[in-house]
């Protein structure tokens, strides 16, 4: 892994230093072959079809993660226990002939194809987000509705048996509000991953809570009944939260020791010749032709460490005792002992939005992507 990361940084330095440069094709190919496994791909995703719609929920989460004060690859989502998850995938309902059987607006089956989730990743949480419309006139039936979410364990056979289902979530909602709601579907998704052939979807039913059992007013967006452009923003969305095992779980004790990821300051003496410090390096994904499947960011400031580590070394370089001894030995025997190296001493994570080969939008947090501080080692 260390060797792969070293190759990664050397290639970026060669390819992306400063402004856009003319990069040899051989170097671009090496860059791609080195970085694709880093993203979890064996080959470049092949984009098919037209414009891909990025769910607003993922865009907001991407912005929250990038603005989060502390450096962590975990997801800051209050109210949803995602644990060590560092990857979020989005899935939309797979439309089919079964949809036509549901004529009312308060009952519907949702089916999601989650086969693109790697078996090596551990599922930590799963939710379905549903959009709503305000009910302005309840006609005296009350403003509250109950949502039941059921996992379809076994399909029914018409005229023989009813489907076997179990309730996995229930929520009381106020129809006077129009904010998006979330229902927990972790038990269902976990079962589908364990046995893909048992994925029959989930069944959602909405009913009024008034005593007269009045049919509920249309409030939730469960099935397509608007134009495509609008439906892309309002359709039910499954979000899965997984851990790819590449990041060490940060404990509460570790969090107390962390510095804010933008808290490191760059300072050095003006009389030093070329001291070890953080230097500008911009990575542009357009240069390697990846802007079609990387949604955001299309480029970022990665920075790198460069400069001399000469004795005596300033305190701000966060130097180790070994580096000080090595620097002293280098002063006495420069031909036998090399100078300490200028290397990153603090790195921060970065969030990325990208598409897989099935055009699913993925949000993943990568650790150690941006240099925050440099020192002599």
């Amino acid at each position: 892994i260390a060797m792969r990361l070293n190759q990664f940084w050397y290639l970026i330095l060669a390819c992306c230093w400063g402004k856009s440069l003319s990069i040899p094709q051989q170097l671009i190919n090496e860059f791609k072959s080195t970085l694709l496994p880093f993203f979890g791909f064996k080959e470049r995703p092949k984009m098919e079809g037209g414009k891909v719609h990025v769910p607003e929920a993922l865009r907001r989460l991407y912005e929250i993660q990038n603005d989060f004060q502390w450096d962590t690859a975990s997801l800051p989502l209050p109210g949803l226990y995602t644990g060590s998850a560092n990857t979020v995938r989005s899935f939309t309902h797979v439309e089919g002939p079964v949809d036509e059987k549901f004529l009312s607006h308060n009952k519907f089956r949702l089916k999601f194809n989650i086969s693109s989730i790697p078996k090596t990743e551990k599922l930590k949480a799963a939710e379905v987000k549903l959009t709503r419309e305000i009910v302005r006139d309840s006609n005296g039936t009350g403003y509250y509705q109950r949502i039941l979410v059921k996992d379809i364990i076994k399909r029914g056979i018409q005229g023989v048996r009813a489907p076997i289902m179990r309730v996995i979530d229930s929520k009381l909602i106020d129809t006077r509000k129009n904010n998006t709601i979330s229902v927990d579907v972790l038990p269902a998704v976990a079962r589908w991953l364990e046995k893909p052939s048992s994925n029959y979807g989930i069944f959602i039913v909405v009913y009024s809570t008034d005593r007269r059992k009045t049919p509920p007013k249309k409030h939730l967006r469960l099935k397509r009944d608007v134009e495509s452009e609008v439906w892309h923003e309002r359709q039910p969305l499954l979000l899965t939260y997984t851990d790819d095992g590449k990041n060490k779980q940060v404990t509460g004790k570790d969090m107390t020791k962390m510095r804010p990821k933008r808290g490191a300051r760059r300072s050095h003496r003006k009389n030093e010749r070329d001291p070890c410090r953080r230097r500008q390096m911009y990575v542009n994904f357009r240069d390697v032709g990846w802007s079609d499947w990387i949604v955001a960011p299309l480029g970022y400031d990665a920075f790198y460490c460069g400069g001399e580590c000469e004795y005596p070394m300033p305190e701000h370089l966060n130097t180790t005792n070994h580096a000080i001894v090595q620097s002293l030995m280098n002063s006495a025997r420069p031909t036998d002992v090399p100078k300490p190296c200028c290397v990153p001493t603090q790195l921060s994570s970065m969030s990325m939005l990208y598409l897989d080969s099935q055009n699913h939008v993925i949000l993943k947090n990568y650790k150690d992507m941006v240099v925050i501080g440099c020192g002599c080692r």
Side-chain angles (χ1 to χ4, degrees), residues 19-238:
K19 297 181 180 179
S20 231
L21 303 173
S22 177
I23 306 171
Q25 187 61 43
Q26 182 179 355
L27 193 56
I28 290 178
N29 293 338
E30 190 175 353
F31 180 88
K32 292 177 179 180
S33 63
T34 301
L35 202 54
L36 277 175
F38 182 78
F39 286 111
F41 293 130
K42 293 182 179 179
E43 57 183 13
R44 183 190 186 283
K46 297 178 181 178
M47 298 297 99
E48 297 180 358
K51 180 181 177 182
V52 175
H53 293 264
V54 179
E56 184 62 27
L58 280 187
R59 285 194 183 276
R60 284 199 302 267
L61 185 54
Y62 169 77
E63 293 169 359
I64 291 172
Q65 185 71 18
N66 280 338
D67 292 336
F68 197 53
Q69 182 183 13
W70 302 100
D71 177 34
T72 172
S74 299
L75 302 162
L77 292 172
L80 183 67
Y81 183 70
T82 57
S84 58
N86 65 343
T87 306
V88 187
R89 287 181 172 82
S90 62
F91 303 90
T92 56
H93 167 62
V94 180
E95 297 180 339
V98 177
D99 296 358
E100 303 302 322
K101 297 181 180 180
F102 297 96
L103 302 179
S104 64
H105 60 266
N106 64 317
K107 294 181 180 180
F108 197 66
R109 186 210 66 159
L110 293 173
K111 179 73 181 293
F112 303 97
N113 180 3
I114 61 170
S115 60
S116 61
I117 299 179
K119 294 181 180 179
T120 54
E121 296 187 7
K122 294 182 179 180
L123 181 68
K124 297 296 181 179
E127 63 175 335
V128 169
K129 288 188 174 291
L130 302 170
T131 57
R132 305 194 275 174
E133 293 179 336
I134 296 177
V135 176
R136 304 199 178 272
D137 182 14
S138 64
N139 293 327
T141 60
Y143 290 105
Y144 293 95
Q145 294 179 357
R146 171 70 65 180
I147 301 177
L148 285 182
V149 183
K150 303 179 181 181
D151 179 16
I152 305 174
I153 306 295
K154 194 172 184 178
R155 285 185 299 187
I157 300 177
Q158 189 172 6
V160 179
R161 67 163 189 260
I164 298 175
M165 298 184 284
R166 64 171 175 172
V167 176
I168 55 176
D169 199 6
S170 173
K171 282 199 172 177
L172 184 67
I173 58 174
D174 187 342
T175 60
R176 293 168 293 185
K177 300 179 180 180
N178 67 344
N179 55 308
T180 301
I181 66 167
S182 168
V183 292
D184 186 6
V185 293
L186 176 61
V189 177
R191 192 175 62 80
W192 301 340
L193 288 175
E194 185 177 351
K195 189 178 180 181
S197 61
S198 67
N199 181 1
Y200 305 119
I202 58 174
F203 184 68
I204 297 181
V205 58
V206 184
Y207 62 89
S208 298
T209 58
D210 66 304
R211 296 180 179 178
R212 290 178 291 178
K213 304 297 181 183
T214 308
K217 294 287 184 180
K218 184 176 181 180
H219 179 54
L220 286 182
R221 287 283 188 181
L222 295 177
K223 59 184 297 186
R224 184 193 291 268
D225 59 356
V226 293
E227 295 179 359
S228 295
E229 289 298 321
V230 179
W231 179 241
H232 282 303
E233 298 297 329
R234 299 182 182 179
Q235 63 182 324
L237 186 71
L238 169 65

Side-chain angles (χ1 to χ4, degrees), residues 263-279:
R265 296 182 179 180
R266 184 178 66 189
S267 60
H268 55 274
R269 298 175 185 175
K270 293 183 179 179
N271 59 352
E272 292 173 335
R273 289 186 301 174
D274 189 16
C276 172
R277 61 183 176 86
R278 188 177 76 161
R279 299 165 188 265

Side-chain angles (χ1 to χ4, degrees), residues 310-338:
E310 294 185 341
Y311 184 83
M313 286 179 279
E315 293 182 2
H316 75 267
L317 287 181
N318 193 20
T319 306
T320 62
N321 291 334
H322 182 274
I324 294 174
V325 172
Q326 183 174 337
S327 180
L328 282 168
M329 293 298 294
N330 170 262
S331 300
R333 293 157 50 189
T335 58
D336 297 331
V337 181

